[in-house]
Amino acid sequence: MFRVGLGYDIHELTTGRDLIIGGVKITHEKGLLGHSDADVLIHAIIDAMLGALALADIGTLFPDTDKIYKNIDSTILLKKVYEKITEKGWQIVNIDSNIIAQEPKMMPYIPKMKEVLCQILEIEPDELSIKAKTNEKMDAVGQNLAIEAHAVIMLKK
């Protein structure tokens, strides 16, 4: 038995915050605005995982009205969701994802992102694809106002 899930997230860029994507701190003058650390890639992967099993979404599971999640490291949230997946007898077949950012360039950070995420999700590097794209200077992402991410996951029982 297989299930597929789709995840998406976007956060506004702002000064005074670290830029954390895929569990990795990225050198940049701005970070992402959010209740947690605003890690768009992890949030998209979490939503894909939850969607595959029809378990609501990240905002329902970890509401921004709950102070316990204020500035929380999204890798902690990812671990909690992964535990839900495995408790139900599912395992990850593969994840395909995109980070869409005009700046900074993501490619230098992708190997470390894969290392961090593969360890948490107990998968091999060839089971996780992380690609980097720009929006060719169009829309909020292309004008350096936000960063977004998309993820698709396949689970098997």
Side-chain angles (χ1 to χ4, degrees):
M1 179 182 232
F2 293 91
R3 300 290 297 264
V4 174
L6 172 66
Y8 167 80
D9 196 33
I10 186 168
H11 283 277
E12 178 183 354
L13 281 161
T14 188
T15 56
R17 292 200 32 129
D18 289 334
L19 180 58
I20 310 292
I21 299 179
V24 175
K25 185 176 177 180
I26 295 172
T27 304
H28 194 56
E29 67 272 6
K30 292 184 178 181
L32 294 170
L33 183 62
H35 187 69
S36 67
D37 64 4
D39 187 324
V40 292
L41 179 59
I42 288 181
H43 294 184
I45 291 171
I46 287 172
D47 266 351
M49 294 168 74
L50 294 170
L53 299 183
L55 297 175
D57 64 18
I58 190 171
T60 301
L61 203 58
F62 309 111
D64 63 6
T65 55
D66 192 333
K67 292 179 184 177
I68 196 167
Y69 304 118
K70 182 71 176 162
N71 296 319
I72 194 167
D73 180 335
S74 291
T75 62
I76 295 168
L77 305 179
L78 183 63
K79 287 176 193 173
K80 289 177 186 264
V81 174
Y82 179 63
E83 288 169 6
K84 287 182 179 293
I85 299 297
T86 58
E87 285 168 5
K88 293 186 175 289
W90 294 90
Q91 68 182 59
I92 297 169
V93 175
N94 74 301
I95 299 171
D96 186 19
S97 63
N98 286 317
I99 304 164
I100 302 96
Q102 198 64 38
E103 291 178 3
K105 296 294 183 193
M106 295 291 147
M107 291 303 288
Y109 300 96
I110 289 176
K112 183 64 177 170
M113 290 178 195
K114 287 185 73 162
E115 181 183 321
V116 168
L117 298 176
C118 286
Q119 182 177 358
I120 293 167
L121 299 172
E122 300 177 327
I123 58 176
E124 296 299 319
D126 66 348
E127 297 168 331
L128 172 61
S129 171
I130 303 173
K131 301 178 299 293
K133 306 290 181 190
T134 70
N135 266 5
E136 303 295 331
K137 300 185 180 178
M138 299 181 291
D139 75 16
V141 172
Q143 295 172 23
N144 293 313
L145 300 174
I147 294 177
E148 67 181 277
H150 303 256
V152 176
I153 190 168
M154 178 175 277
L155 303 176
K156 73 176 178 179
K157 199 167 215 178

